[in-house]
Amino acid sequence: MNFDFQYMLSLFPRIIEFLPIVLYMGTLSFLLAIVFGMIFAVIINNKYPVLYQILMVIISYFRGIPTLIQIFIFYFGLPQLFPSLSSIDAVTAVIIALSLRNAAYLSEVFRSAFLAVDKGQYEACISVNMTKWQALRTVILPQVTRIAIPPTGNYYIMMIKDTSLAFTIGVVDMMARAKLEAAVTFKFLEAYLMVGVIYWVISAVLQFLQSKLEAYVEKPYKKEAAK
């Protein structure tokens, strides 16, 4: 069977209409991962008794188990143990799984970013009568953000791509639409190549925006270095 380029192009409008659900799952998962990742990083840096040990086990679990298995556990497994969780829909299960999994990785990104900022800067802020919150907000966090943006942005791109696993539990997204089209026409290469190209373009756009954000954050430091 010859490759049908025209058919592949005809799939674009039918697949791209499900882009909003992909961006919704990926972006919400990313925001939650940042929140949980920051909390995890604080616990790890301060080594709070009991919490630290429990968290290290949790992080080891989410880093060591494939994403697809984690999605299955949240959607199919947990309701078996806790019937009250049977009301969780597929989209919510994907968001929870992706956010916790990536929070386990982002915790190390944030922890390293905090450690990269010289402790003397915090002490200097306190010495000029700044409160802890003022020191954190105006001096520490801007530097942490500058260090964390490149790896954090990469995780966002990966999370957008990982949403393609959602179709395995019944979420109707771009991958599910491509699979349906391929099942009807048996033109699997065209269908999967089209959805792959769309994800490729999304990743390229996000990488471009990330580079612009990095340049914006770096601008004050470049000006200072030029003096």
Side-chain angles (χ1 to χ4, degrees), residues 76-160:
F76 297 113
L78 289 186
Q80 181 179 330
L81 294 178
F82 307 100
S84 60
L85 297 179
S86 59
S87 60
I88 294 180
D89 59 31
V91 171
T92 302
V94 171
I95 291 172
I96 294 173
L98 291 182
S99 61
L100 291 177
R101 177 185 183 278
N102 287 277
Y105 288 98
L106 285 174
S107 64
E108 184 62 25
V109 172
F110 298 146
R111 186 187 73 84
S112 301
F114 273 107
L115 293 178
V117 179
D118 190 347
K119 292 182 179 180
Q121 296 190 40
Y122 176 77
E123 295 169 356
C125 293
I126 300 302
S127 69
V128 294
N129 295 323
M130 293 178 68
T131 64
K132 291 182 178 180
W133 168 243
Q134 287 175 327
L136 185 66
R137 179 175 59 85
T138 61
V139 178
I140 306 301
L141 279 182
Q143 297 181 72
V144 169
T145 301
R146 175 197 176 204
I147 297 169
I149 281 177
T152 302
N154 291 336
Y155 277 107
Y156 178 48
I157 294 172
M158 287 191 291
M159 292 173 75
I160 291 293

Side-chain angles (χ1 to χ4, degrees), residues 58-75:
I58 293 174
I59 288 177
S60 177
Y61 165 80
F62 281 107
R63 288 180 179 177
I65 304 296
T67 306
L68 184 59
I69 294 177
Q70 292 177 23
I71 292 173
F72 281 0
I73 288 174
F74 276 103
Y75 188 62

Side-chain angles (χ1 to χ4, degrees), residues 2-4 7-8 11 187-194:
N2 295 326
F3 182 81
D4 191 341
Y7 172 72
M8 188 185 83
L11 290 178
K187 296 183 179 181
F188 296 98
L189 177 58
E190 291 88 340
Y192 292 138
L193 185 57
M194 186 71 259

